[in-house]
Every structure is written in structure tokens, then in C-alpha cells.
Amino acid sequence: ATGHLHVKEAAAVVQGIAEGCKQANCGLIGGESAEMPSMYDSGKYDLAGFSVGAVRRDQILPKGVAVGDILLGLPSSGLHSNGFSLVRKLVEKEGLSFESNCPWDETQIIGESLLTPTKIYVKSCLPLIKKGLVKGLAHITGGGLLENLPRSLPYGVGAKITSHPALSGVFKWLKTTSGMDDKEMLRTFNCGVGMVLIVGASELAEAKDELKKSSIETVYEMGALADGSGVTMEVSLD
């Protein structure tokens, strides 16, 4: 929806949606636009969408998650659209604008860096799911690792994180500028891990091999499941 439809901008939006569909191997089967000049200022628009899939009832995940299973993390491409209310406040607090050079990357401006497209993991994860190598998945979105991972765990089972990738430049800047501790960072941002896979210890090597075949160059072995609940961090964010 927008105040006035600009064909060039609309075409760019549709092009981006089409690219997302290619990455997810899905079809774009519908859509509509609305011009609402009394609701939107000039140059402003918003966008909403959703995807629908199908799965056999006996294949719904999580399935068979148990103590001893291994946690594999897949890298994020950036903020993945989460925590932007805080990000905007921090940019303003530091006297910067979205056209300013990045404090964490001199080759980019802030707006370009923050809008790095969210990584889509379908082509990486679906082959493993079809082979029965994945017991559960946690997409690290709003709420971060601490709130999303427990949703895939049964009662009485918790996650112990014994390894976490080093924070990239943007997350280091956000941590330093905000003054947040590790817990709040992990509850607000993905901190470099966009997806967590739960795999059995006996399937670990095969799962890693399949991920590398799908062009995932880096796989983080982050820890394991243990008796308990929630997520226990046994390492600090660097």
C-alpha cells in the first residue's frame, strides 16, 4: 500500500519478491496494491506477505528431539529485519543518518548495510529434512536464540551453548553502542546465527556434508541438548 504508486519503485519491489521466491523455490501466486493518499505520505509505502506450505502429518517437526542431540547453527546475512526499533534509536543517538558511512564497514553506508536481504534457508535445510537428518529447526528471528530455540524443545530438555561465532562488525557496534549485555543481545538480535538445526549425534557428519553441498560454507557446532529447560549460555559473545 502507498500514497501514490510509482512504477519504478513497484517494479523493484516485485523484482525483490521474485528473487526471494527463487531462493525459496516457491511460486508467487497472487498479490495486489492499493493507493491510499490520505494514509501515506509521499514516497512512503508498506509491504506485507506470507507463504504457505504443506507437510505430511507424521513428518511435522520437531520430531524425536532428545538429550544428546547436537545444535548446528547457520550464518545469518545480517540483522534479518529484527530489532530495527532499537537500531533506529541508536543511529539517531550517535548523530548518524542512514546515508552516513558505516562505523563497522567503511565500504558501505548505514542504510545499505542494515538492509542486507535476509538469508533464506529453504534450499539448505529441505534436503536434510527429506532425508530425515533433522529433528527440529529454530529460525532465529524476533526474540533471538534465547526465545526461539526453546520452542523446538520438549519438556525437560534444554540447550547448552558451548560455542558461538564471533560477532560481526554490525553486532559489535550494536552491543557497544547500546550497552546491552550478552543476554539482551541474544534476546534482541540473531547475533550472526539465523537458523539452528537439531540433529542426532549419529547423523552429525552426514548433516554437515549435506549442508556444505547446498553452498553453506560455514556450519557452527554450537552445543548439545541436556536435561533442563531453556537455553544456557556457557560462552560469552565476543
Side-chain angles (χ1 to χ4, degrees):
T2 182
H4 177 71
L5 186 65
H6 296 278
V7 175
K8 186 177 180 180
E9 290 180 356
V13 169
V14 173
Q15 185 178 16
I17 294 171
E19 175 58 29
C21 288
K22 289 179 181 178
Q23 293 182 23
N25 198 27
C26 69
L28 177 62
I29 61 174
E32 63 176 307
S33 60
E35 289 184 300
M36 305 168 67
S38 63
M39 296 292 291
Y40 294 89
D41 292 335
S42 176
K44 305 294 184 181
Y45 67 89
D46 65 15
L47 185 69
F50 63 93
S51 58
V52 177
V55 61
R56 292 186 180 278
R57 192 177 298 276
D58 62 355
Q59 297 297 312
I60 294 175
L61 300 179
K63 182 181 180 184
V65 174
V67 169
D69 288 342
I70 307 299
L71 300 169
L72 297 179
L74 305 185
S76 67
S77 56
L79 295 185
H80 284 196
S81 305
N82 297 118
F84 269 85
S85 294
L86 175 58
V87 171
R88 287 194 295 269
K89 289 286 187 183
L90 293 176
V91 170
E92 181 182 354
K93 169 180 169 287
E94 293 298 300
L96 300 169
S97 73
F98 295 119
E99 288 75 38
S100 301
N101 289 331
C102 284
W104 59 88
D105 183 356
E106 295 180 354
T107 67
Q108 287 187 303
I109 63 172
I110 290 176
E112 289 175 345
S113 178
L114 294 179
L115 291 178
T116 299
T118 297
K119 188 170 183 62
I120 296 175
Y121 298 95
V122 173
K123 291 182 179 178
S124 301
C125 294
L126 199 55
L128 281 78
I129 295 171
K130 290 182 175 179
K131 288 190 173 185
L133 298 174
V134 176
K135 295 184 174 185
L137 295 161
H139 194 192
I140 310 306
T141 55
L145 182 70
L146 301 186
E147 293 185 9
N148 286 285
L149 182 52
R151 294 170 184 160
S152 292
L153 306 180
Y155 178 79
V157 176
K160 286 192 175 183
I161 305 299
T162 55
S163 179
H164 193 284
L167 295 179
S168 65
V170 63
F171 292 114
K172 284 182 179 179
W173 183 82
L174 290 169
K175 189 174 191 292
T176 301
T177 306
S178 68
M180 290 195 296
D181 59 21
D182 287 3
K183 186 175 181 180
E184 284 305 310
M185 283 291 295
L186 289 163
R187 197 190 303 277
T188 307
F189 302 109
N190 65 62
C191 294
V193 179
M195 181 74 76
V196 175
L197 285 66
I198 304 171
V199 303
S202 60
E203 284 78 45
L204 178 59
E206 186 177 358
K208 283 185 172 181
D209 287 342
E210 287 293 326
L211 287 168
K212 289 178 180 178
K213 288 178 186 177
S214 71
S215 77
I216 296 289
E217 297 179 358
T218 304
V219 179
Y220 308 120
E221 192 169 332
M222 300 180 67
L225 302 186
D227 292 322
S229 62
V231 177
T232 302
M233 294 295 299
E234 298 190 349
V235 291
S236 299
L237 296 179
D238 298 326

